Amino acid sequence: MKHIETIKEMQSLALNWKRSGITIALVPTMGALHEGHLSLIRSACQAVQLHGKVVVSIYVNPIQFAPNEDYSKYPRTLQNDLRLCQEAGADAVFTPSNEVMYPSGNEDSNAPLRYSTFVSEEVLSKTMEGISRPAHFRGVTTVVNKLFNIILPDYAIFGEKDFQQATIIRRMVRDLNIPTQIIVSPIVRESDGLALSSRNRYLSPDERTQALCLSKALKMVQEKVSIQSFPAKELKEEIRVMIEKQPDAKIDYIEFFDPESLVPVVEVNTGTRMALAVYIGKTRLIDNAIL
Ligand code: AMP
């Protein structure tokens, strides 16, 4: 497995592969890899089969974090990540620095050298995560575009865990005619229901127990909606009462929406998607499910 840090080396390797007719699959991550990421790498291996190449990118993208968020304390575990990528069957791991991704140029004299091009999706990005984190998706779509141009993937694998993100990337690929097929891979959970996340390692043992309220809320609504439909307002209130029983839980949002358009629904049926974001202490967790 190759470990590549420069754009030049990554791009020329990808170009050589393409010229030899080799299929490429990309798994974009921010590292601190867990079983959820590894399931994406396995989907990538399946997509390209024996003769293709799988690239994992590990990059904590500063422009998708707001100044008050956890960019500087985000877990960075590169040596362990490299080992896991190798074991999961990756052919290359790309770990660019901020300086190669967003060159700052000379701030004093030479403004044109500074990084100044961004990609933004303007409809799906305005709800849920986009309300709580207004600059987040612009950062994500920009970095994913850059990674696509550097790695030239035929396939890119994203997790259903970040359902809104995957929907936005699909829209971006369609709107900008990017010749990459997007594959969305199911959420990997702990045996008690908690969705795996690099941010779970911020949780104390007590917070870890309280964090189960997200998956429990999804399960409760799934069971109710399997029998009959309910007004979204009524379900939101019921979940609010349930989650607020946890002493350190603070709801950011609970939403019921159409899975294609992400438009909120008034009446919740089977086929509606539910997503929620909840702070457990200082840690912000998200989860979602189809009902
Ligand atoms: P991150 O490193 O958090 O940016 O995540 C990188 C990719 O892994 C994204 O496409 C996520 O949706 C996906 N991912 C994160 N957690 C999980 C999980 N528990 N199950 C499946 N995919 C996941």
Side-chain angles (χ1 to χ4, degrees), residues 11-165:
Q11 208 166 33
S12 64
L13 180 64
L15 275 167
N16 282 339
W17 283 340
K18 297 295 284 186
R19 286 181 188 133
S20 316
I22 290 172
T23 306
I24 303 172
L26 167 66
V27 180
T29 80
M30 298 201 298
L33 301 184
H34 50 64
E35 196 51 44
H37 298 112
L38 300 185
S39 73
L40 268 49
I41 300 174
R42 287 187 208 109
S43 301
C45 292
Q46 262 182 2
V48 300
Q49 302 191 318
L50 273 184
H51 303 296
K53 301 288 182 187
V54 171
V55 181
V56 179
S57 62
I58 298 179
Y59 180 55
V60 186
N61 175 36
I63 69 165
Q64 71 188 63
F65 288 79
N68 61 334
E69 292 179 350
D70 58 344
Y71 173 73
S72 50
K73 74 163 189 171
Y74 197 84
R76 288 162 172 88
T77 58
L78 183 60
Q79 288 315 315
N80 195 46
D81 291 352
L82 290 173
R83 186 180 55 77
L84 291 173
C85 287
Q86 176 139 32
E87 286 170 9
D91 296 283
V93 177
F94 178 51
T95 62
S97 65
N98 288 340
E99 201 39 52
V100 299
M101 289 297 267
Y102 303 108
S104 54
N106 180 341
E107 299 257 342
D108 300 331
S109 58
N110 223 341
L113 286 181
R114 289 171 63 188
Y115 188 90
S116 60
T117 304
F118 299 87
V119 177
S120 65
E121 189 289 325
E122 308 216 332
V123 172
L124 305 173
S125 304
K126 302 288 187 221
T127 63
M128 298 184 281
E129 291 296 291
I131 296 172
S132 306
R133 310 180 69 190
H136 174 66
F137 287 122
R138 174 178 179 266
V140 171
T141 44
T142 299
V143 81
V144 169
N145 247 281
K146 286 170 68 71
L147 292 169
F148 283 3
N149 287 329
I150 296 163
I151 298 162
L152 312 171
D154 298 280
Y155 300 95
I157 328 297
F158 291 86
E160 188 187 355
K161 163 81 178 3
D162 297 272
F163 183 81
Q164 187 176 12
Q165 167 176 282

